Amino acid sequence: MAVQTTCSAPRPRQKVPDRDLTTGSIHRAIWYLAPAMMLETGILNVAELFDVYWVSRLGSAALAAVTMGIAIRWFAQSTSMGLGIGGLAVVARRIGGRDREAADHATGQTVLLGILVSILLAVLGLALARPLLQILGADAEVQALGMTYLRITFLGSFAWVLVYVINPMFRGAGDARLAMRVLLVTTVATVISEPVLVLGLGPIPRLGIAGSAAAYVLGMGSGLLLQLFYLVGGRASISLRLRHLRPDLPLMARIVGIALPSAAQMTLRAASNMVILAMIGAYGTFATAAFGLADRFLFFALVPCFGLGNVAGTLVGQNLGAEKPDRAERSAWWVSGYAAVYMLAVGILAFVFARPLIAAFDATPAVVAIGVECTRIIALSLILDGVGYALNRGLDGAGDTVPAATINLLTLWVLEIPAAFALSRGLGLGLTGIWLGRALANTANGLLFIVWFKRGKWKERQV
């Protein structure tokens, strides 16, 4: 008879999920997840607003450089965020099917892929930073500042790639509160360190734009340490052990197959934003600075929709894993309805208060005038954009990522960029034409996601 030795180390107890999201009231399931997921996405973007505020103290050139640097960073982050969605879809299905060991194994394989991606992005980012800034129209001063920002950002890519890879898997497992705590720690570390590093304090010298990048990397590193604490310590519904990091090429290929279309759609969105930014850059530094402020405010307004979208992805994935496709569909439609109501209210507020918002960050008359027009033209188009984002994440949770990539390709590259160019240059509307092009794309994006999701083909996707 086998006897367990007393010297063997006990395995940490794995957390049991607080609630079964595949039974009971759909609304209770939504609002069980929604507060933490909305706070998670909101918390991180609070740090970005503070970033814009402190950098704006350095002048319009610094603000333009960070606007370009963030656009390039988001382009790189698209790969890691897409990989996180691949991990979310696989983990959610296995949690919904009550197979914890398979969920843990998928977690390890996704983390392994994240490590490889972080190395690749660091090498490419450092090599391509200067050419990308030149393409975006940076003058000599903005280019020098942007290079400083991007070098530090890409040297710290290991931290931010893994944060964006691991947090979606927490959400897929139903651990929305853990994901929120990770980004709370990330944000607190960033917000506290940024003014100190940017402006200097006591013996700490004024680092300027380098301090902004260093604070971002420091914050993400803090979040990564907390994620590992949860995963290795058995304090989450998924865990990470060394055996889970042994390469499983078929599963890795499956995760990549789900992640690639999602990463492609995010890359397309980030790349289109860079093209739009290049169009705006032709109108000067003030135009770039104004767009940077308006874009941050509008993005921040959308943040709760990102959280609601994550709710849709989790509920769709887990309910499909539990073989309840009709419940999965109803969940996503209700989430998108909540997103529409929220964005209607916020769009009206953004339209009314655009001027004081822009002026609070940069009172330069030209920046205020351009920023107000941009905010007001785009604001109300975000209602359908928020609905589209919620349904997009529902498709991601189902692992059906190709249609979302296709829709984004159509609305961003076939509609927004040509329309913005034609309206601004062809019809002579200038910057106003660029804002109108974006508003048209947001509206079309939401309508196309509604049509595709209603078809229901995503219910047949096997993960």
Side-chain angles (χ1 to χ4, degrees), residues 357-368:
L357 277 173
I358 299 292
F361 285 76
D362 190 334
T364 305
V367 172
V368 173

Side-chain angles (χ1 to χ4, degrees), residues 114-192:
I115 293 170
L116 297 175
V117 166
S118 71
I119 296 170
L120 178 63
L121 289 179
V123 173
L124 291 176
L126 292 171
L128 299 176
R130 189 178 299 278
L132 288 172
L133 287 169
Q134 292 171 344
I135 290 171
L136 294 178
D139 59 27
E141 181 184 9
V142 172
Q143 187 179 138
L145 292 170
M147 283 299 299
T148 298
Y149 182 88
L150 289 172
R151 283 191 184 112
I152 296 170
T153 298
F154 281 110
L155 285 172
S157 62
F158 181 81
W160 47 263
V161 166
L162 286 180
V163 166
Y164 282 113
V165 166
I166 294 171
N167 250 26
M169 292 189 289
F170 281 152
R171 294 195 298 266
D175 287 333
R177 288 171 174 78
L178 297 190
M180 178 192 69
R181 290 172 195 162
V182 167
L183 290 191
L184 177 61
V185 168
T186 296
T187 300
V188 169
T190 303
V191 168
I192 290 175

Side-chain angles (χ1 to χ4, degrees), residues 215-293:
Y216 177 76
V217 173
L218 177 64
M220 286 292 173
S222 302
L224 176 58
L225 289 175
L226 184 58
Q227 286 176 328
L228 295 176
F229 173 75
Y230 287 140
L231 288 172
V232 176
R235 291 169 174 81
S237 297
I238 49 177
S239 65
L240 185 63
R241 304 284 179 266
L242 284 176
R243 69 178 184 275
H244 300 139
L245 295 174
R246 295 183 190 128
D248 179 347
L249 296 182
L251 180 57
M252 292 172 76
R254 192 179 309 169
I255 294 168
V256 169
I258 297 169
L260 274 179
S262 184
Q265 65 165 300
M266 292 182 181
T267 301
L268 287 170
R269 183 175 290 276
S272 72
N273 198 54
M274 291 172 65
V275 173
I276 294 294
L277 191 57
M279 289 186 195
I280 295 167
Y283 291 90
T285 298
F286 288 153
T288 301
F291 175 72
L293 289 175

Side-chain angles (χ1 to χ4, degrees), residues 41-80:
T41 51
I43 286 166
L44 187 60
N45 286 278
V46 165
E48 294 205 3
L49 279 181
F50 275 102
D51 181 37
V52 169
Y53 176 78
W54 293 117
V55 170
S56 70
R57 305 302 94 182
L58 303 174
S60 294
L63 185 57
V66 168
T67 298
M68 292 180 180
I70 288 175
I72 293 170
R73 191 190 77 211
W74 271 103
F75 180 77
Q77 280 178 192
S78 301
T79 304
S80 56

